[in-house]
Amino acid sequence: MTTPPPPFDPELAAALLELGDAAPTTATPESIPMAREQVGALVALMTNEELSCGGLFDVQERAVPGPPGAPDVSLLICRPTSVPGPRPIVYFTHPGGMVVGTNRLGLPLDWAEELGLVVVSVEYRLAPEHPHPAPVEDCYAGLLWTAAHAEEIGGDPDRVILAGGSAGGGLAAALALLARDRQGPRPIGQLLMCPMLDDRNDTVSAHQMAGLGVWDRTANETGWNALLGEARGTADVSPYAAPARAADLSDLPPAFIDVGSAETFRDEDVTYASRIWQAGGSAELHVWPGGFHGFDGLVPQAALSVDARAARLGWLRRLLGE
């Protein structure tokens, strides 16, 4: 029997009511085109001039070689103009449930401004038109280019941090696994914000939050079905698609994982952190009480959102020793 859901933080609950359709609870395959239109309208406002934040960043887009036999990959590069290089690099994989979004969505420019980081955000092909492994292979190809050309973009090849939220958090976790297993670039950390890790979609939190909050169990099924098709939920799913499937979580870069207590991904994210510890690794875990999926982006002024952003920044400071 499904247990009652945990309560939303009161401030967030009030904001969620006000947001209404701007923060949809669920998603279906039929809703993907409209969601893409809405996100497209949002990112259209994020011009290079807007992203430069009044000259704080030099912003450019580069087309780099994609996976073998696939199109080039677009990287959005935001380099701080007031801090001499080489600077640490945040390699960012955007959110969007694997079905929407671009490399201009969710950019962590607040970290970059505070710590003088280069941000490289990758444009990956979206499901269902491009199922696994297209998205993660695009991200890996971009990571290879970034590591090889770090100095060219003002970055330090020995200080690359993987970061992403939601679907992008799952892709960042998958990149950490791929880089380890292919003996590729060695990131110094992985910052996973409410990451989408487990295609099985059958945890207690997934059932508790069905029909509630943001990105419920039906929405999650929509995203995973788009990425994996009939393979979803079977023994054939690769850990590079769903990192929760990885049998071995040893020898990974230190992880920061955070998630709301009132969201679908809570239990899979807590389990992933626990398994990193069990494998002898380093992970910092935050479960924000009463947080729904993506709460800090949707309600940035809320007290809980302020705390969440501060915790990420604090972890980055410690990781970089700055």
Side-chain angles (χ1 to χ4, degrees):
M1 181 180 296
T2 301
T3 55
F8 293 122
D9 170 87
E11 187 179 11
L12 294 180
L16 193 58
L17 284 175
E18 289 186 14
L19 285 165
D21 292 342
T25 294
T26 197
T28 63
E30 294 74 26
S31 68
I32 292 173
M34 181 176 291
R36 288 179 177 174
E37 286 183 15
Q38 292 170 338
V39 171
L42 175 65
V43 300
L45 303 174
M46 300 176 186
T47 63
N48 285 5
E49 182 178 358
E50 183 75 19
L51 294 176
S52 74
C53 300
L56 288 176
F57 299 100
D58 174 65
V59 181
Q60 59 175 294
E61 196 137 10
R62 296 282 295 269
V64 307
D72 286 350
V73 170
S74 177
L75 300 179
L76 182 67
I77 302 166
C78 302
R79 175 170 54 185
T81 56
S82 60
V83 186
R87 299 302 302 160
I89 297 171
V90 171
Y91 186 77
F92 185 73
T93 43
H94 70 76
M98 303 304 305
V99 295
V100 302
T102 79
N103 59 10
R104 292 173 184 260
L105 185 64
L107 290 173
L109 295 183
D110 52 338
W111 310 342
E113 181 179 352
E114 186 74 22
L115 299 176
L117 310 177
V118 178
V119 174
V120 178
S121 183
V122 58
E123 182 99 348
Y124 54 87
R125 288 171 288 171
L126 299 174
E129 295 87 347
H130 304 285
H132 177 77
V136 73
E137 290 292 355
D138 285 353
C139 294
Y140 189 71
L143 177 63
L144 291 178
W145 186 93
T146 299
H149 296 81
E151 294 179 6
E152 178 183 331
I153 60 173
D156 184 345
D158 295 322
R159 291 195 294 172
V160 177
I161 301 161
L162 305 173
S166 194
L171 285 166
L175 286 177
L177 294 167
L178 267 180
R180 178 197 67 183
D181 296 345
R182 293 181 179 176
Q183 299 183 331
R186 296 293 287 176
I188 63 167
Q190 50 179 328
L191 200 162
L192 314 178
M193 298 172 285
C194 53
M196 179 178 173
L197 299 172
D198 196 340
D199 65 292
R200 289 165 291 197
N201 197 23
D202 199 32
T203 62
V204 171
S205 59
H207 287 280
Q208 279 183 316
M209 301 309 301
L212 298 171
V214 174
W215 196 259
D216 73 348
R217 190 164 182 256
T218 297
N220 203 32
E221 184 173 291
T222 296
W224 283 116
N225 282 345
L227 183 69
L228 298 172
E230 293 182 358
R232 186 185 74 82
T234 72
D236 297 328
V237 173
S238 165
Y240 309 132
R245 299 297 199 113
D248 179 11
L249 296 183
S250 65
D251 194 28
L252 293 173
F256 177 101
I257 300 171
D258 72 351
V259 68
S261 69
E263 71 164 292
T264 300
F265 296 148
R266 182 195 67 217
D267 292 346
E268 64 195 65
D269 292 353
V270 170
T271 297
Y272 201 73
S274 296
R275 291 186 57 220
I276 290 174
W277 296 323
Q278 291 163 6
S282 172
E284 179 171 323
L285 172 68
H286 293 261
V287 181
W288 299 107
F292 56 77
H293 185 64
F295 67 90
D296 60 289
L298 289 167
V299 196
Q301 74 279 7
L304 202 68
S305 303
V306 173
D307 288 348
R309 290 197 303 276
R312 295 168 194 153
L313 194 62
W315 180 81
L316 284 167
R317 285 189 190 279
R318 293 193 301 277
L319 181 71
L320 295 169
E322 297 191 358

